[in-house]
Amino acid sequence: MDGVPRVPEQRRPGSAQDAAEPAAALRFGVLGPVRAWRGEEQLATGSPQQRALLAALLLREGRTATAAELIDAVWGEEPPSQALAALRTYASRLRKILDAGVLVSESGGYAVRGLPEGALDLGVAQELAAEAEKARGAGDLCQAREVLARALALWDGEVLAGVPGPYAEAQRVRLEEWRLQLLESRLDMDLEQGCHAEAVSELTALTAEHPLRERLRELLMLALYRSGRQAEALAVYADTRRLLADELGVDPRPGLKELQQRILQADPALAEPSAPAAEPAAVPVRPAQLPATVPDFTGRASFVSELGEVLASAEGRVMAVSALAGIGGVGKTTLAVHVAHQARSAFPDGQLYVDLQGAGPRAAEPETVLGSFLRALGTADSAIPDSLEERAALYRSVLDGRRVLVLLDNARDAAQVRPLLPGTEGCAALVTSRVRMVDLAGAHLVDLDVMSPDEALSLFTKIVGEERVASERKAALDVVAACGFLPLAIRIAASRLAARRTWTVSVLAAKLADERRRLDELQAGDLAVKATFELGYGAMDPAQARAFRLLGLADGPDISLAAAAAVLDLPVDETEDLLEALVDTSLLESAAPGRYRYHDLVRLYARACAERDEQPPSEREGALSRLLDFYLATAAGVYAIERPGDRLVDHLEPTEREGLRFGEGTAALDWLYTEGESLLACVRQSVATNRLRRGVDLLWAAKDLAESGANARQYEATAVAVCEATKAAGDTRAEGRARTTLTNVLLVSGRIQQAADEARLAMDRAATAQDVAAGSWAANDRGLISLHQHRYADGKVFFDQAIEGWTAAGNQSGAATTLFNLSRAHLAMGNVTKAVDIAQHGLTLLAALGRTMRLANGHYALGMALTKAGRHTDALDQFGEALTIFADHRQRLWEGTTHFRVAEAHIAARRPAQAALHAEQALAIGCIGGDRMRGNVLTLLGRALSTLGQVDRARACWREALKLFEENSAPEADEVRVLLRPAATA
């Protein structure tokens, strides 16, 4: 849809400016009930007919309406005998509540005059719609969407609600049509900005509410296609075609047919949003800012081809964006510059380049870069505005109609990049960064890894020479392997060998074989980075040097100030002074306020210094032990805040160092999720040391990292590592706890059989070690697994066993948690009343402990039981409570699972449109249970869509669900096969 829709047959308010403005501020609302306010005081607008008169006058925007017109507006073709007298009475009453001079008599009729700007909500909506249209025309989609959302928020239910008469009915139809057009325009812009996954849920609900509105169906098809759901997109078209034929006897409009064909042909242009053009640049200048490419560029053929194709597709597209991500030294800049030079002929209007310094402590500010770009494009300094928004808008305008390539090197994040993207047809952008820019809408993401062995050998050969490598190929392979196939390291090693004609490749390979001296060998000419490190290290005072060495021992991607203080065994203020001094030497980077990180090679150098200078060796062990203590103590505190009354923290290994203390849950969760990667790295470093037990307990206390889905993959890898380590160490208690953590993450991801194997081992080890805490959790998990396997009686036995263990240990929180699961077991066995009673009992236990995250699980379980009991309204209330608590505690996967249960309740209550809405939200967020639960959601969504008459899309959902169930050997597959039989949807 082009532009932002204007209200049909409607002029801007306030056209009559001749009357004096009232002393008090009057405001009126018609986009809902007809209301009037003086300041913040709501005025009584009288009977429905009196409100009908007021609405008719307000909607005429100052024009006079005759008495006959108003009588017809209020009563239609059959007015009462005293209609004129009644009309005058209503007008008199309105004059008494309005300001003097607002309602005027003129030529035998009436008019509302002299209202200030913004007095009528409809007028405000028109102004906002016009502003949104202007912003969209200028290419500022973010601003246009925000303004249009404000306009749509002015609607407050049905327009002119409760107002009688044919005029009010006609206005309702007109303004509802305009609202839908605005909504379609906003959704169109959502898709242009890459928010297709988020739009699917809203569009599903809207198409159910307005099934014959083809534009909504078209947007839904596009959103589904861009979300990777091609089959459903085509099913939407089939449903629409059948519905239009059945209801109206017509075919879909040409635009809808064309979209179907493009989806069938997998038209690449459909995958990219299209933004409007901006104003043309006044003074075209052809910049050529690309750095020189290296003459010995090697390999990366697939990446060169892939990126070249993306850049070549810029013509005819809004913008081609490729974002290269990878570790330092992997060759991101070299590849980007090489590809950019190859593509220069496709961008005859110039190439822009900037180093955004994203890896350093002071990343380039977007407004500064935009100023530089605008000057390079011929904009005079006097014409360059001050604000970021204005510079970005002018930048897009200058690039309109031109074909320019922009290389944004070394970016910090997507927020830094977005204002610098051209956003116009024919232009393209290449971005390099150490982070993967998944939040950069529409970007073609390229993860640049180290070179392949062949590519690495080829680069080494180009620098060293074919003759020297040919005779020592094996040694050359050893060299590039020692370099980790990292291009920077290979270039350094090869350059060093090339400068020493008496060395053989075998000599260099032997030197690099010693890991402790490898960094010493990887230096040559101006690439001798270690020499720079040595100069900085040598200039440090003893305290700074100690901090530099010990902080390099931690494996995490970065380290917080508080964690660093634990490593160094120093107060936070003193630690901060030391770290800031290291930042000043460029040997440490400030990743964010209060967070620090090493460059990869600097970390290797710091560890070499620690091995060399940190004496006795126990100092290194002490530093890592203090870090583990800090993480364990703090994570235990977070666990206790999230689960008041849970006695797990009483069973963890003791620590010699205190952790951070938090006054409330938000700060505690902020810490946990910020420290997730570093915390898991610390656990992995405890493997094969005397810190293993504390490492296992840290993993256990930080289980939210897995259950929320935030760090599930890293958590699982860590759990596998500690399981192997505890088994090798013969530590039965630690192994039982480790297998409990692994069981948990397997359950979250829906791998039920693997979870069953681990839970059985966890329970056995816990019993052997007489570890009540781990044994109770293992029994609870085995009960959950039994529910998944439809072994409900077995599940009840395990749950009873867990509750017995919790009760013996005085752990009411644990007992309540298992009661909720026991409720689900009784529900599955048909004991609905007992399921309700048990869930309510568990909630009573938890309520006495305070607002705990596990209350959400109770509301969730009770909602399921109430749904089965037919008490759908009560069930939805419980699910609403669960959603609020899960959101407060950042349990996104549980939020998604609860939306699924809400959808079940709506289906049971025969509300398929609401069920489809919540099922879509569950799909968008994700659920506990992985692919198997996704299959359940798709099955339910199909049921809702089938009830709504969208049979083809329903079957597409069921086919996808069946595929997921078959891949996971899930028993639910049989149910879906029945649904897919022709009779199921007949």
Side-chain angles (χ1 to χ4, degrees), residues 675-817:
E675 294 288 350
E677 289 188 54
S678 298
L679 182 153
L680 293 175
C682 184
V683 174
R684 290 191 292 271
Q685 276 192 286
S686 70
V687 171
T689 70
N690 59 7
R691 306 187 302 275
L692 179 57
R693 277 200 170 191
R694 280 180 290 158
V696 171
D697 282 0
L698 172 56
L699 190 65
W700 201 7
K703 63 186 297 184
D704 281 346
L705 294 175
E707 197 163 329
S708 67
N711 297 84
R713 289 186 179 180
Q714 300 98 312
Y715 190 98
E716 180 180 348
T718 305
V720 169
V722 296
C723 281
E724 294 173 351
T726 52
K727 180 180 179 181
D731 189 332
T732 306
R733 194 191 80 159
E735 185 184 351
R737 296 184 173 196
R739 295 197 182 279
T740 297
T741 66
L742 183 54
T743 301
N744 183 54
V745 74
L746 290 170
L747 276 171
V748 168
S749 62
R751 286 170 284 172
I752 304 303
Q753 187 53 55
Q754 290 176 259
D757 296 339
E758 292 298 332
R760 179 180 52 78
L761 289 172
M763 197 167 178
D764 174 74
R765 303 301 186 268
T768 301
Q770 297 183 330
D771 187 350
V772 176
S776 298
W777 273 118
N780 179 77
D781 289 342
R782 293 192 73 179
L784 284 173
I785 291 163
S786 297
L787 292 188
H788 283 289
Q789 296 174 334
H790 298 179
R791 296 185 294 107
Y792 308 123
D794 291 345
K796 179 181 179 301
V797 171
F798 285 124
F799 291 141
D800 287 339
Q801 186 175 346
I803 292 170
E804 181 181 350
W806 296 129
T807 304
N811 193 336
Q812 280 191 309
S813 176
T817 299

Side-chain angles (χ1 to χ4, degrees), residues 460-480:
F460 183 77
T461 302
K462 281 188 178 181
I463 299 173
V464 174
E466 178 70 35
E467 183 179 347
R468 297 179 73 182
V469 174
S471 59
E472 294 186 276
R473 180 179 175 81
K474 183 180 182 304
L477 287 171
D478 290 341
V479 168
V480 295

Side-chain angles (χ1 to χ4, degrees), residues 119 169 320 364 418 500 585 669 738 947:
E169 181 57 33
R418 288 190 190 101
R500 291 162 173 78
T585 67
L669 288 174
T947 305

Side-chain angles (χ1 to χ4, degrees), residues 5 26 88 97 120 178 234-235 240 248 388 390 404 465 473 483 492 532 619 623 636 665 735 813 851 890 914 941:
L26 280 176
R88 289 169 178 164
I97 66 172
L120 181 64
W178 185 48
L234 292 170
T240 305
L248 305 176
L388 171 62
E390 291 176 314
V404 173
R473 180 179 175 81
C483 293
I492 291 173
T532 305
E619 283 295 310
E735 185 184 351
S813 176
R851 185 175 171 82
R890 306 181 201 181
Q914 292 93 325
L941 176 58

